[in-house]
Structure formats: C-alpha cells, structure tokens
Amino acid sequence: MLTKLKKFLVIIGICLLIIASAFVILLFTGVIWRSPAYYTVDDMKTFTVPVMDMKAYDSVEAHRQPYIYRINSGQGVVCVVGIQHTKDIDDPQLDSLRSIFTSMQPNVVFVEGKLGFLFAGLQNPVKLYGEKGETVRLAKQYKVPYYTWEPPKEEEVRLLAKKYPGKQLALFYSLRPYFSNYRFGKPSDPEKKLQQYINSRTDYVGLRGMLRDVKEVDSIWDKDFPQLKNWRETSDEFGWPPGYLAEIFNDCNLIRDNYLCNALLQEAKKGKHVFVTMGSSHAYRIEKTLEAALAN
C-alpha cells in the first residue's frame, strides 16, 4: 500500500514538473504574455509647466479623438497616442495606432496600466486588454522593449496616504477597475467581480485589511453617497462621482501623469524614439508639460 502511494506521489510530482516546465517555456517563448515591467525613473523632476489636473480638464471644450501628437527633443522623439479606451477590434482608432507605430519604428514603448496573462493565438489582446493589448502585440511583433508607465503601486498609495484615510483609498482602488470596465458592459455578477477587486487591489501596505467585502462597500456607499445611483450601475466614462472619490481620482492621476512625463523625458533625452499609448484625457493634459520639458 505504501509503495503504491509513493508511486502515485512520484507520478503527481512528475506531472507538476512537466506543467511547470511547459509554463516557463511558453512564457519565455512569448506564447504566454506577462504584464509589462514597471519603468524606473532615476530622478523625479518637478516640471515648470505642471500637468493639467482633472478639474481644469473638465472645463476644456471637446478636443479631437484620438488625441495624437509628436514632440522632438534633439535626436529623441516622443509620439503620444491618446485613445478613447476601446475593446472593439474594429475601432478605427486602432488603425491609427498601428499606422503610426509601424511608420515610427520606436525604440521603446509605454502602455497605460498592467496586463494580465494572455495566450497568444488563442485570446485577442484587444478584446481582453483594449488598446494597450494591441500596443503590446505590436511591441512584441517588432521586438521592441515595452513597459507600463504607471508608478509602482506601493509608491502611489504611499503618496496618497499622506492626504486620505486608508478606508477611502481602499474603496477607491476597489471601485476604480469596476467603474472603468463598466463602459464595456455591466458584469453578470457585480458582487463577485467587486470582491475580486477588493482582494487584489487592496493588497498593499496602507490598504490591506481596510476593506473586507461587498457588504462593507454597500454600507459606505449608502452613507457617503446617498444622492448617487448605486455603485453597481456606475461608470467613470464621464468622470467620477463628486466627493472624496473624485478628489482621490484627481490626485492619483496627477501622481501617475507626473511619473509618466518623467519616464518619457528620461528616454527621449537618451535619443530614443518613444511610442506611448494612454487614455485621451491623459494625452491632452500632459501635452504642454512635455513640450516645455523636452524643449530644454
């Protein structure tokens, strides 16, 4: 009996080893995608022309979509492609993205946010991750190094925690992916989806344990936002609900956009041809900052 058990355990061990080896091979051959690495900014600069905040942006008249521009800096160049977030594989914005990428032949690529795993050939990167999925597909096709332009989450949370309580931040980080994805359709099980976000998006120092479950979100929402429709029916497509969540969103965007500008500046000053995709509001709000910084 003991011998059979040992044989069984050996077989299980061999199977697990084969699966693990196959996963590593698929990962390193590019069949399985992994999230873009964070980019390291060596020296965070304070810009003479600050990034436009969301309050100022809300007063801006409608601008062109997509919002695309190039800025030259010596031998370096930055091409910013601001997209209305899309997961539509037939969206003409993606034609513009592809055309600019192939004609520019960038040395380095940046995308907004983090991608999860994807099986190339079996899953469509646009359907799964939108325009950033298509950007990474092009980077991989042309063997161009790519990064997320987001700051490390720990640093972002640390800076926001200087101003906001942990529970408010935990609520914001849990609801942010839900509100962002709502524009593509309401999930079949909002409670399950939000619980997944609570578990994954608050697993950082300063957020951990601040928010337990959906019932707690319901309680906070009813107390702090009684005049608004339920969070289950809320999208961020046209801005965040008024109150502290909107304030956190504004401050969070400024942190992210300042990091983004520093990353682009650092690569352009090396003479690189930099290609970056982002939501069109980010593209519009950083334009004057980049122009001034890259002119020096």
Side-chain angles (χ1 to χ4, degrees):
M1 184 69 180
L2 198 57
T3 303
K4 289 183 179 180
L5 180 59
K6 286 182 178 179
K7 287 182 179 179
F8 176 75
L9 292 174
V10 168
I11 293 171
I12 293 295
I14 292 172
C15 290
L16 291 174
L17 182 61
I18 291 172
I19 292 170
S21 300
F23 180 83
V24 171
I25 291 170
L26 292 173
L27 192 63
F28 280 94
T29 56
V31 175
I32 295 179
W33 292 14
R34 54 182 169 184
S35 287
Y38 285 107
Y39 180 82
T40 301
V41 172
D42 297 327
D43 179 27
M44 282 291 292
K45 300 183 183 301
T46 300
F47 297 106
T48 54
V49 177
V51 173
M52 178 187 292
D53 68 16
M54 289 303 298
K55 294 178 182 178
Y57 179 75
D58 287 341
S59 65
V60 172
E61 294 183 5
H63 53 72
R64 66 183 184 273
Q65 299 285 0
Y67 198 80
I68 301 170
Y69 54 88
R70 291 170 62 108
I71 303 174
N72 295 318
S73 175
Q75 294 184 338
V77 59
V78 174
C79 181
V80 175
V81 180
I83 296 284
Q84 285 183 299
H85 293 307
T86 182
K87 291 187 177 180
D88 178 1
I89 60 175
D90 297 318
D91 193 319
Q93 293 182 109
L94 299 178
D95 294 330
S96 298
L97 187 157
R98 297 182 193 105
S99 175
I100 294 167
F101 189 105
T102 53
S103 64
M104 181 186 185
Q105 296 185 340
N107 306 119
V108 62
V109 170
F110 289 92
V111 296
E112 180 178 358
K114 298 283 284 180
L115 287 73
F117 286 109
L118 177 144
F119 284 86
L122 298 178
Q123 296 172 295
N124 187 297
V126 174
K127 287 184 177 180
L128 226 58
Y129 300 116
E131 71 281 350
K132 61 187 174 185
E134 182 62 11
T135 305
V136 169
R137 186 192 68 78
L138 289 166
K140 292 174 77 67
Q141 178 182 340
Y142 290 95
K143 296 180 173 56
V144 182
Y146 58 92
Y147 303 89
T148 176
W149 53 256
E150 306 281 354
K153 195 65 65 183
E154 293 83 355
E155 178 64 9
E156 184 180 298
V157 172
R158 184 186 70 81
L159 293 171
L160 288 171
K162 294 180 178 181
K163 184 175 179 180
Y164 300 99
K167 192 173 287 290
Q168 290 182 1
L169 291 176
L171 182 68
F172 168 76
Y173 279 107
S174 299
L175 289 173
R176 184 166 72 172
Y178 184 92
F179 289 175
S180 179
N181 284 300
Y182 190 90
R183 71 184 70 183
F184 305 117
K186 183 178 179 180
S188 58
D189 190 339
E191 292 78 12
K192 180 180 179 180
K193 180 59 67 175
L194 184 61
Q195 188 62 56
Q196 291 173 351
Y197 290 142
I198 292 171
N199 296 341
S200 62
R201 302 305 176 94
T202 66
D203 191 20
Y204 297 95
V205 174
L207 301 181
R208 207 170 286 124
M210 291 291 175
L211 201 60
R212 296 183 300 275
D213 52 36
V214 174
K215 287 183 180 179
E216 191 171 2
V217 172
D218 282 329
S219 177
I220 296 171
W221 191 267
D222 292 342
K223 175 178 175 293
D224 294 350
F225 306 100
Q227 75 282 12
L228 301 179
K229 60 184 177 182
N230 193 273
W231 62 263
R232 293 167 177 80
E233 312 293 334
T234 301
S235 168
D236 67 355
E237 186 171 5
F238 303 107
W240 273 69
Y244 62 78
L245 289 177
E247 294 292 331
I248 295 172
F249 175 68
N250 183 56
D251 289 345
C252 180
N253 264 346
L254 287 175
I255 291 170
R256 295 168 64 213
D257 289 337
N258 275 289
Y259 198 90
L260 160 63
C261 288
N262 271 282
L264 300 181
L265 178 65
Q266 184 167 294
E267 286 298 301
K269 290 298 183 181
K270 296 176 184 176
K272 298 288 187 68
H273 287 200
V274 186
F275 182 90
V276 55
T277 54
M278 63 192 71
S280 58
S281 66
H282 290 284
Y284 185 93
R285 291 185 296 104
I286 68 171
E287 184 175 15
K288 300 303 180 185
T289 303
L290 282 179
E291 285 178 343
L294 290 170
N296 298 326

